[in-house]
């Protein structure tokens, strides 16, 4: 365990979960980073720098060193972050030149759905070539992807010896007060059966061609689709074509995009507001067009537009969203809903984390 370098003050020992935290699944958000051998430091020295800076950053992000209790709060008891060191009989080139997403699961500490009370975990794997692999997992019960990356950036700043540290704002439970969520199971939809992991690479020319396909000059909103919109539409249509031989008109077909709420609030929040301050934008797709286009781009945009300041206000003040997700979860378990979820990291500060050593070769997600 890696514990904070100094104890958490008594008045910060309890961190209240927000309503959005409460309804998140108890799963780890995974990230793997690959580092080559440093010329002036061994991989053990690299690891020691990572551990020392982790101990320091946990004084700032103190809830990550505690334990989640009763889906209600974090006991900030400084118990520490699970940190594992391992060795792999391979070279960095073996992993990066022929990447196989299924192999990435060998580089993680725990099953991704085994978060339970643990807010954060990490593993360093030493490679024969002198490089190392750093796996990180943050529980979705305590924060969203943006919170994950702002924590990672702060951690890297400590590793570099920076003194200009931006302190996170822990007020999500004030923004979205906790509720009685009895009757809702956050684990709904989590399964380990028939899981398949695939990696598809779209180069710039392929993305441009797909964007052109989904550009509809006749639409009221005639803006060309973004890369995320175009790829989402393309993948969704291929998914439907491959899995839904005959569309069932009694089922609800939805496309879901994780969406940051910070910029949609009034007034907007900074990126340093920690917690789950995001919700899924849900597009209910119409399935009646013969050309396979399904008007999906405009429906995705409409779903995102609905996540506005008024939506946030209702999320804060009413039980409407809780009742909605209870009903939708029940429909999902009955097989009445066909959903496809997308998460884009395009605008996240994914590549800015510099731990003060050699440049990172790449990163990967785990399923």
């Amino acid at each position: 365990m890696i514990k904070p370098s100094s104890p958490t003050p008594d008045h910060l020992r309890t961190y209240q979960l927000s309503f959005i935290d409460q309804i998140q699944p108890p799963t780890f958000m995974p990230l793997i980073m690959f580092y080559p051998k440093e010329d002036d430091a061994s991989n053990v020295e690299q690891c020691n720098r990572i551990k020392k800076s982790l101990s320091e950053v946990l004084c700032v992000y103190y809830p990550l060193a505690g334990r989640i209790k009763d889906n209600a709060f974090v006991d900030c008891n400084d118990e520490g972050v699970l940190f594992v060191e391992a060795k792999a009989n391979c070279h960095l080139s073996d992993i990066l030149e022929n990447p196989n997403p299924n192999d990435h699961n060998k580089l993680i500490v725990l099953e991704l759905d085994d978060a339970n009370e643990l807010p954060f975990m990490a593993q360093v794997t030493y490679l024969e070539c002198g490089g190392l692999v750093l796996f990180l997992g943050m529980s979705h019960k305590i924060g969203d992807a943006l919170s994950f990356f702002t924590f990672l950036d702060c951690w890297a700043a400590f590793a570099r010896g920076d003194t200009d540290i931006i302190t996170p704002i822990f007020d999500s439970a004030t923004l979205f007060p906790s509720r009685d969520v009895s009757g809702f199971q956050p684990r709904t939809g989590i399964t380990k059966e028939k899981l398949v992991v695939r990696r598809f690479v779209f180069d710039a020319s392929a993305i441009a061609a797909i964007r052109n396909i989904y550009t509809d000059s006749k639409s009221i909103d005639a803006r060309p689709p973004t890369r995320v919109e175009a790829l989402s539409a393309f993948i969704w249509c291929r998914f439907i074509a491959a899995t839904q031989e005959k569309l069932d008109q009694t089922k609800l077909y939805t496309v879901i995009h994780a969406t940051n709420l910070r910029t949609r609030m009034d007034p907007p929040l900074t990126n340093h507001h920690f917690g789950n301050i995001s919700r899924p934008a849900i597009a209910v797709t119409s399935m009646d067009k013969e050309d396979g286009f399904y008007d999906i781009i405009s429906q995705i945009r409409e779903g995102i537009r609905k996540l506005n300041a008024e939506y946030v206000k209702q999320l804060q003040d009413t039980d409407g969203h809780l009742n909605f997700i209870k009903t939708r979860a029940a429909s999902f378990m009955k097989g009445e809903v066909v959903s496809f979820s997308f998460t884009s990291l395009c605008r996240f500060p994914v590549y800015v984390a510099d731990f003060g050593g050699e440049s990172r070769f790449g990163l990967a997600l785990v399923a």
Side-chain angles (χ1 to χ4, degrees), residues 185-202:
Q185 296 296 328
R187 285 186 174 273
T188 298
I190 297 177
T191 180
K192 294 183 180 181
E193 298 178 1
K194 299 181 180 179
L195 292 181
V196 177
V197 182
R198 292 288 186 269
R199 176 177 179 266
F200 299 96
V201 178
F202 298 86

Side-chain angles (χ1 to χ4, degrees), residues 286-313:
S286 60
M287 311 296 286
D288 56 355
K289 292 200 173 184
E290 296 179 357
D291 59 10
F293 176 54
Y294 306 133
D295 201 24
I296 185 64
I297 298 294
S298 62
Q299 291 159 3
I300 289 173
R301 289 174 175 173
E302 179 61 23
I304 294 175
R305 270 195 293 266
K306 290 180 179 178
L307 270 60
N308 52 24
E310 181 180 351
Y311 166 87
V312 172
K313 185 67 174 174

Side-chain angles (χ1 to χ4, degrees), residues 17-35:
L17 296 184
S18 73
F19 166 58
I20 304 181
D21 295 334
Q22 290 177 293
I23 60 177
Q24 290 298 326
T27 57
F28 287 110
M29 295 178 291
L31 186 70
I32 300 179
M33 296 183 289
F34 305 96
Y35 292 89

Side-chain angles (χ1 to χ4, degrees), residues 227-237 255 257 296 300 342:
R227 292 175 299 169
V228 174
E229 290 172 341
L231 285 175
S232 297
F234 176 76
I235 294 172
W236 164 252
C237 290
V255 174
H257 284 84
I296 185 64
I300 289 173
F342 294 90

Side-chain angles (χ1 to χ4, degrees), residues 336-357:
E336 298 171 352
V337 178
V338 177
S339 292
F340 203 105
S341 297
F342 294 90
T343 299
S344 169
L345 300 182
C346 287
R347 295 186 179 181
F348 285 93
V350 176
Y351 291 98
V352 300
D354 172 14
F355 282 88

Side-chain angles (χ1 to χ4, degrees), residues 53 62 111 169 199 242 349:
S53 55
Y62 55 90
E111 295 285 343
I169 302 170
R199 176 177 179 266

